[in-house]
Amino acid sequence: MIQVNNLSFSYTKQPFISGMSFSVSHGEIFGFLGPSGAGKSTLQKILIGMITAYQGSAMVNGVECKKRTKDFYEDIGVDFEFSTMYEKLTAKENLQFFSSLYEKKSRSIEELLEMVGLDRDGDKRVSDYSKGMKSRLNFIKALLHDPLLLCLDEPTSGLDPTNSRMMKDMILAEKAKGKTILLTTHNMQDAAELCDRVAFIVGGKICALDSPHSLIMSKGAAAVTYTWLENGEHSANCPIDRISSDERLKGLISENRLQSIHSGEPTLNDIFMDITGRTLV
Amino acid sequence: MKPILSSFLQMLKSVKRDRMLVAACVAPLLVGIAIKYAIPFMEEILIAQTNRREILRPYYGLFDIFFSMITSAMFCFAAAMVLLEEHDDHIESYCSITPLGKTGYLISRIFLPAFAAFLMTGILLPIFHLTPLPPAMTFFFSLTGNLQGVIIALLVVTLSTNKLEGMAVTKIASVTILGALVPYFLPEPLQYTLAFLPSFWVGKSVCDQKLIYMLPAILETAIWILILLKRFRRKMP
Ligand SMILES: Nc1ncnc2c1ncn2[C@@H]1O[C@H](COP(=O)(O)OP(=O)(O)O)[C@@H](O)[C@H]1O
Ligand SMILES: [Mg+2]
C-alpha cells in the first residue's frame, strides 16, 4: 500500500526528514509515534500529496505522491489534527458538500452519523458541537467516499476517555473492514493498543520500527519487585522468567516474610525513552 | 469538472446566506441604472444651470470603464470574502486532499466568479453604456474589467487573514481601479508614473480612442495575476 524509500524533506535549509524508508502493507494499522515537532504530521502530509518538494520516493497505492492526480484522492481519506468543517453549516450540509467532491458514490450519511452516535445532531450547526463530537464528525468525513487508506493525524489527542474510547473502536472497526490506516500519535498507550506496527520518530528520523509487542519484548521480560523487613525495609528485583532461581525470594516466600510483591512490564514509553533518549512529550 | 461545479455552487450558497454579499452582487445592476439614467439627467441640469455646452460628457468614457470593472470587482469581492471565511474553517486544506484539489478550489473561487462577471458585463455593458461602444470595445472592456476584479480578489486574499481585514483590504485594493482616471487628469509625461496599473492603460485606451492600449493593459494584468497567484500559493501551501 505504501512504500517509502530514502525520503528526505525540509521546510528550511537545515535537513529535517532524512533518509526514511519503510513500507506499510494492506490492512495494517501503522503508527508514527513521537514527541510533538518530530515530523509526524509533515511525513503524513508528504504521503497525502500536500507536500511535493521532497527527495527520494514515496509511493501510495502505486502512485508517486508528488505526481498525484485527482484520482489519487478517490481512495484516500484524511482526518487532520484540527476540524475542517464549515462551522456555520450543519453536520449534514457539511457531509453532503464534501461527498459531492468525489466521483465515487458516497456512503450513506445517515448511517455514518448513526455509527458515531450523532444521528440526532445531524441538523445542528458544527459550531454548536463539542470537541468530541467534532472529532467524530471529522472522522466520518474521511470515510464518506469509502477510501482504501485512512490517514489520521492525532485522532485521540485532546479527547476525554469516553470519546477517546469511541474513536479507537471506530478505528479498529475500519481496520476490520480491511482498510489500511496510517495514524500519528504521541500517546504510547494508543499506539500500543491500535497499531500493528509503530515507527518511533524523533527529529525527522525513524529510530525504531516494529510491532509494539516486539518492541516491548526487546527490552527483556517483565520483572518482579519485592520488599521485606530485615533491620529496616529492603527491596529487590528479579526477572519474571528467573523467579525459581532467586533463593532469597524463595526463602522469603516459604517464611511468609514478604512485605510486598508486584510485577511490572516495560511500557512502550520506557522503550521509547531507552531507544531515543527522549520522553514522548 | 463535477467537483469544481460543486465547489462553485457551495460558494453561491455561502453568498446567499450573507446579506452584504448578496447586496454586492446586485450592486452592478443598480449602478448600471444609475449611470444610464442619473448621469445624463445630472448633465442636463448642470448645463442648464451653468450655460456651458458640456460638463460631464467628456468623462462618459470613464463611467463606462468603471462600469466594466464593477461587476467583476463585486463578484470577486464576494468570492474573496467566502474564501477568507473558509480559510478560518480550514476548508481549502481539506479540499486540497479531495479530487477538487487546490487548483480546482482556486478555479471555483476566483476564476469562475471572474468568468461569470465577464459574461454579466458582456450583457450589462451594451445596455448601460454612455459612449458608443463597438463590439470589440465591449469585449475588451469586459475582459480587462474582469481581470481587474481577479487582481482585487487576489490582493484581498493574499494580504488579509480574515473577513474583517478582507473588507479593509478591499477598499485599498479597489484603488487600483483609479488608474483609469490618470490619463484624463494628469499631463503626458507625468501620467506614466502610474503606468504600472493595468487600469491606467484601459483609461488611456478610451481617453485617446486607441484600442492598441488594451494590449499593455492585458499584459500587465497577466503579470499582476501571476505574481499574486505565486504569493497566494506560498501563503496557502
Ligand atoms: N508549514 C511549515 N513551514 C515551516 N515549518 C513547519 C511547517 N509545518 C511544520 N513545521 C515545523 O516542522 C516541525 C515538525 O512539525 P510537525 O510535522 O507538525 O510535527 P509533529 O506532527 O510531529 O508534531 C516543527 O518544528 C514545525 O515547526
Ligand atoms: Mg502533528
Side-chain angles (χ1 to χ4, degrees):
Chain A
M1 191 74 195
I2 299 177
Q3 290 91 32
V4 171
N5 212 328
N6 206 12
L7 178 71
S8 302
F9 167 76
S10 181
Y11 292 108
T12 57
K13 294 227 159 52
Q14 267 105 48
F16 181 39
I17 286 183
S18 54
M20 275 194 185
S21 300
F22 61 90
S23 63
V24 180
S25 45
H26 230 84
E28 194 176 18
I29 300 190
F30 191 91
F32 300 135
L33 181 64
S36 111
K40 306 180 298 292
S41 301
T42 305
L43 181 54
Q44 216 169 47
K45 280 183 191 156
I46 292 174
L47 294 175
I48 57 177
M50 283 184 90
I51 293 175
T52 52
Y54 60 82
Q55 285 89 51
S57 158
M59 305 274 286
V60 172
N61 222 349
V63 178
E64 181 68 49
C65 294
K66 66 172 102 176
K67 299 203 182 110
R68 79 235 177 298
T69 58
K70 62 185 172 50
D71 295 337
F72 181 74
Y73 292 112
E74 294 282 345
D75 279 318
I76 293 182
V78 181
D79 186 4
F80 288 102
E81 264 172 293
F82 37 80
S83 175
T84 49
M85 294 274 183
Y86 285 96
E87 294 279 321
K88 279 192 188 166
L89 299 188
T90 68
K92 275 188 195 160
E93 286 169 332
N94 267 292
L95 295 176
Q96 266 149 13
F97 167 62
F98 288 111
S99 68
S100 75
L101 300 180
Y102 297 90
E103 302 288 339
K104 258 189 181 173
K105 199 174 154 328
S106 155
R107 277 172 76 170
S108 153
I109 287 174
E110 307 286 337
E111 270 173 39
L112 284 170
L113 283 169
E114 197 183 322
M115 190 179 95
V116 293
L118 293 175
D119 39 334
R120 275 183 295 157
D121 305 295
D123 293 316
K124 277 192 196 148
R125 281 167 159 225
V126 173
S127 55
D128 295 336
Y129 272 39
S130 70
K131 171 140 175 58
M133 291 162 81
K134 272 187 199 173
S135 40
R136 276 180 271 153
L137 183 60
N138 276 283
F139 180 75
I140 55 172
K141 177 167 64 160
L143 302 180
L144 277 173
H145 53 299
D146 206 13
L148 298 172
L149 172 67
L150 278 177
C151 292
L152 315 173
D153 201 354
E154 309 267 0
T156 54
S157 91
L159 295 184
D160 60 67
T162 319
N163 271 300
S164 174
R165 185 68 260 157
M166 283 177 88
M167 183 60 78
K168 284 188 272 191
D169 289 341
M170 289 186 312
I171 293 171
L172 291 169
E174 289 307 310
K175 175 192 158 78
K177 285 192 202 144
K179 302 236 179 320
T180 310
I181 300 168
L182 209 59
L183 61 87
T184 73
T185 178
H186 58 252
N187 181 321
M188 62 93 197
Q189 271 112 3
D190 292 350
E193 181 182 345
L194 294 171
C195 299
D196 297 306
R197 286 189 303 147
V198 289
F200 288 175
I201 298 187
V202 173
K205 291 186 187 59
I206 296 182
C207 305
L209 196 169
D210 211 330
S211 71
H213 185 73
S214 312
L215 283 167
I216 288 169
M217 284 306 143
S218 72
K219 169 127 185 211
V224 173
T225 307
Y226 55 92
T227 60
W228 71 97
L229 282 178
E230 194 175 310
N231 304 325
E233 197 178 75
H234 298 266
S235 101
N237 294 310
C238 163
I240 206 159
D241 55 355
R242 259 175 281 142
I243 276 188
S244 64
S245 48
D246 187 332
E247 294 305 330
R248 181 170 50 207
L249 178 57
K250 275 161 61 183
L252 290 169
I253 291 173
S254 64
E255 293 162 26
N256 284 324
R257 282 175 55 210
L258 277 173
Q259 278 272 327
S260 74
I261 177 164
H262 55 266
S263 65
E265 292 81 35
T267 63
L268 211 48
N269 213 5
D270 299 331
I271 310 297
F272 193 90
M273 290 242 313
D274 243 35
I275 293 178
T276 67
R278 290 204 44 171
T279 56
L280 271 172
V281 193
Chain B
M1 208 49 212
K2 178 194 162 208
I4 295 181
L5 216 61
S6 283
S7 163
F8 183 68
L9 291 177
Q10 183 66 27
M11 179 185 68
L12 294 188
K13 281 184 203 160
S14 300
V15 169
K16 221 170 70 186
R17 220 173 308 109
D18 186 326
R19 272 201 220 116
M20 179 185 73
L21 300 186
V22 173
C25 291
V26 294
L29 206 63
L30 303 179
V31 171
I33 293 170
I35 288 179
K36 180 81 183 173
Y37 301 103
I39 301 287
F41 182 64
M42 267 165 61
E43 176 75 339
E44 271 176 45
I45 296 176
L46 286 172
I47 290 172
Q49 301 245 322
T50 57
N51 278 328
R52 278 165 59 184
R53 216 162 45 82
E54 53 177 23
I55 294 171
L56 294 174
R57 190 174 296 277
Y59 305 109
Y60 276 9
L62 262 182
F63 287 109
D64 285 349
I65 295 176
F66 284 122
F67 187 66
S68 76
M69 292 176 178
I70 192 160
T71 312
S72 173
M74 288 297 156
F75 282 19
C76 289
F77 162 71
M81 287 299 121
V82 171
L83 194 148
L84 285 173
E85 199 173 300
E86 290 176 337
H87 183 59
D88 288 344
D89 290 343
H90 308 285
I91 302 298
E92 95 277 350
S93 294
Y94 198 80
C95 286
S96 74
I97 53 92
T98 68
L100 177 63
K102 186 130 285 181
T103 312
Y105 176 74
L106 269 186
I107 291 174
S108 72
R109 290 291 175 276
I110 307 271
F111 291 98
L112 278 189
F115 185 68
F118 175 68
L119 296 182
M120 199 68 176
T121 309
I123 297 168
L124 294 183
L125 194 57
I127 304 175
F128 295 126
H129 66 99
L130 291 179
T131 54
L133 265 188
M137 210 56 180
T138 308
F139 173 80
F140 280 115
F141 265 7
S142 316
L143 187 67
T144 51
N146 126 71
L147 292 176
Q148 181 66 40
V150 175
I151 290 181
I152 293 177
L154 286 173
L155 274 172
V156 171
V157 295
T158 38
L159 296 181
S160 47
T161 48
N162 56 48
K163 250 177 120 169
L164 210 67
E165 273 178 48
M167 277 185 263
V169 175
T170 304
K171 286 180 202 137
I172 301 167
S174 307
V175 173
T176 55
I177 289 186
L178 297 182
L181 293 172
V182 174
Y184 283 86
F185 298 108
L186 280 188
E188 262 281 341
L190 192 61
Q191 60 177 230
Y192 287 108
T193 51
L194 290 164
F196 65 93
L197 294 171
S199 59
F200 166 84
W201 293 104
V202 181
K204 192 141 183 73
S205 171
V206 179
C207 188
D208 297 2
Q209 292 289 311
K210 283 191 185 126
L211 207 55
I212 188 76
Y213 287 137
M214 287 295 184
L215 217 63
I218 292 169
L219 217 69
E220 269 186 16
T221 312
I223 294 171
W224 272 74
I225 290 176
L226 284 179
I227 292 173
L228 286 170
L229 264 183
K230 217 168 145 192
R231 296 203 54 162
F232 178 68
R233 290 211 157 233
R234 208 172 320 140
K235 182 181 169 196
M236 298 183 184

